Amino acid sequence: MKSFEGNILCLDRADINTDEIIPAKYLTEIEKIAMKPHLLEDLTLDGFDPATDLEDIAVIVTRENFGCGSSREHAPWALEVNGIHVVIAPSFARIFRQNMFNCGMLAIDLPEDDIQALFDLCNNGGGRLTVDVDTNTIRAKGKEKQLTLGFSISEFDKTLVKTGGWVEYADTNY
Amino acid sequence: MGKTIAEKIFDTHLVDAPFGDVSVLRLDRVFCHEITTPTAIQDLVAHGKDRVFDPDKIKAVIDHVTPAKDSKTAMQGKILRDWARRHNIKDFFDIGNNGVCHAIFPEKGFVRPGFTIIMGDSHTCTHGAFGAFAAGVGTTDLEVGILKGVCTFKKPETFRIEIVGTLRPGVYAKDIILEVIRQISVNGATNMVIEFAGPVVDAMNMDQRMTLSNMAVEAGATSGICLPDMTTVEYLWPFIKDEYDSPEAALADYTKFCSDPDAVYAKTKTIDVSDLEPLTTFGYKPDNVKPVSEMDNTPVDQVYIGSCTNGRLEDLRVAAQVLAGKQIAPTVRGIVSPATPDIFSAALEEGIIKTFMDAGFCVTNPTCGACLGMSNGVLADGEVAAATTNRNFNGRMGKGGMVHLMSPATAAATAIQGHIANSELFSSQEEI
């Protein structure tokens, strides 16, 4: 199972799409690692600089409909090779969400209030969090606050995260 | 309790329901292209699982970057080509025979009502126009589809959108789907199937229905389904005439998938298109939509006519009607990509290609081309395009570029004027 612990990057915008996560011109790459320098390259957002702000980040907290647009699994791969295995948002585009779990990573839906609480927690000097998949718990720590949040994922999604993906599961079962 | 078409297709394809809420479906088709499939192939090879579940149900095409533009895209083509040969995938479309996946696969008769279809491409929802459940998936789902012929989906709820009224001349399926997305937003149908219904959809031909279904994903939908009817049967007849005694027999077989009158919908909406004007997008999201009349002073550098949304014969015919005898503005680069070789040939015979060339357009081979900024027709920073494609995301057609989505008629008029403009097919009606 992958690691689900580390520093949080807050992206305060809804509908961040897959072209912003990894532009189509990099889809000619066959190796995942080639996406590493290009994560979120085309995202224009006040106060965000992809060249410096992705260092040592393990978790993205963002707004609704993250990952809309293309089906490219290059989007979760670009996150994965940058050490980001968790995205937390009020909602996700269907294909992106499925791709995250198929890769053994987490796309966690939380209510808007919990998302706002995480944004607030990170507001002064950033934050860290840990996701415990066994107890469905998120423990977040900012400079001034701590927060424990529950979440739910389906048993199937949990199985994918724990077994490392859908290919092995399907080849064994079908 | 009645069922929707999506529920009926799920019921007839269910293999397993592990953990209750997940449906593992048997797949009738797995479509492949050279951008998302090679990584799946490489992974299967690396894990000693270089197998395919059924070479006759897998269809493959090189369409996104063709002819190859560099060593990397050449290698993507080679991986797909070598794989298709070694697994005896007979329906593989390469240089000379290739075209945009969501245009060429329906044209070859590979899509049928009631089918389940996946592809590593979000616009796979296009094939819902035939009454199929067709969904875009990532590379891992594609890989399992290739290997085992199954895919998982949560049972989707259905959003029924009824299109009523009478379209004004010069207003098209593209304008309708832009209006749908404007009304329900880019997140309005996430995790749902959109079922397009109503007299306007019933009167559409298959090219128009494919334009409608193609952009369902821009509202977040898993698939965009039109109910099968005699229009569907007539399109498919050359491919199914040996399977059925008559078109009526085929229709009876296909309509068993149609939603029951007492089917339960998660959401319903009725849109009257009688007053609809031609529309275009203005921002970086497909739901940023305005009437063309409110955008008509926007200069453009490039006009692109093509793609899985609007690169079919009828689209080219409409654009050529607007362009006939005219020249595009000297400040505009016009590019047209007929979506398939058959469309290209028909457009040649009808004189459409000559009309485009006489007007000053560059005609490319069938390809996804300029749509996604990874092949030809890339915009420079700060440039503006008018396009018949489906996505206006930031950087979509090239870093720093802006894309305005519109119908082929509006795109052709825009090319002539040099700025976003309504076509005479619409404007002349205004004056009457």
Side-chain angles (χ1 to χ4, degrees), chain A residues 127-143:
Chain A
R128 287 178 66 79
L129 66 72
T130 304
V131 182
D132 185 332
V133 180
D134 289 317
T135 60
N136 289 8
T137 311
I138 296 167
R139 289 188 186 79
K141 201 177 168 188
K143 237 179 179 163

Side-chain angles (χ1 to χ4, degrees), chain A residues 29 42 73 94 171 174, chain B residues 49 72 139-140 148 399:
Chain A
E29 301 293 348
D42 276 357
E73 203 159 308
R94 180 192 64 86
D171 201 23
Y174 303 111
Chain B
K49 297 177 192 290
K72 284 178 179 169
T139 289
T140 303
K148 305 299 288 188
K399 196 175 177 71

Side-chain angles (χ1 to χ4, degrees), chain B residues 13-179:
Chain B
H13 290 77
L14 191 67
V15 173
D16 190 14
F19 313 104
D21 63 340
V22 176
S23 302
V24 180
L25 302 185
R26 173 178 55 79
L27 298 171
D28 296 304
R29 292 283 182 267
V30 176
F31 292 157
C32 301
H33 66 51
E34 89 281 14
I35 302 300
T36 53
T37 315
T39 18
I41 295 168
Q42 302 277 72
D43 198 58
L44 288 169
V45 170
H47 290 91
K49 297 177 192 290
D50 182 24
R51 313 188 298 270
V52 302
F53 81 108
D54 184 342
D56 293 334
K57 291 180 178 170
I58 297 175
K59 316 291 177 184
V61 65
I62 296 177
D63 62 354
H64 276 58
V65 188
T66 180
K69 66 172 182 176
D70 57 16
S71 304
K72 284 178 179 169
T73 50
M75 183 52 74
Q76 288 180 307
K78 179 173 164 51
I79 292 169
L80 191 70
R81 186 180 298 119
D82 290 351
W83 169 80
R85 283 181 187 153
R86 87 176 164 264
H87 292 291
N88 197 26
I89 294 166
K90 291 184 291 294
D91 293 314
F92 169 61
F93 302 91
D94 204 342
I95 295 274
N97 300 303
N98 58 354
V100 177
C101 53
H102 307 308
I104 200 165
F105 291 148
E107 189 182 272
K108 298 292 178 189
F110 298 154
V111 183
R112 305 289 164 79
F115 267 18
T116 51
I117 302 170
I118 64 163
M119 181 172 196
D121 191 289
S122 59
H123 293 108
T124 305
C125 53
T126 310
H127 309 285
F130 290 82
F133 176 80
V137 297
T139 289
T140 303
D141 275 336
L142 177 70
E143 187 175 331
V144 170
I146 289 168
L147 182 66
K148 305 299 288 188
V150 297
C151 192
T152 60
F153 291 95
K154 292 211 174 75
K155 210 166 207 178
E157 297 182 311
T158 297
F159 191 160
R160 183 176 192 268
I161 298 180
E162 191 177 8
I163 312 290
V164 301
T166 308
L167 274 184
R168 296 157 78 180
V171 184
Y172 300 92
K174 181 61 162 285
D175 301 300
I176 296 175
I177 189 63
L178 287 173
E179 175 65 10

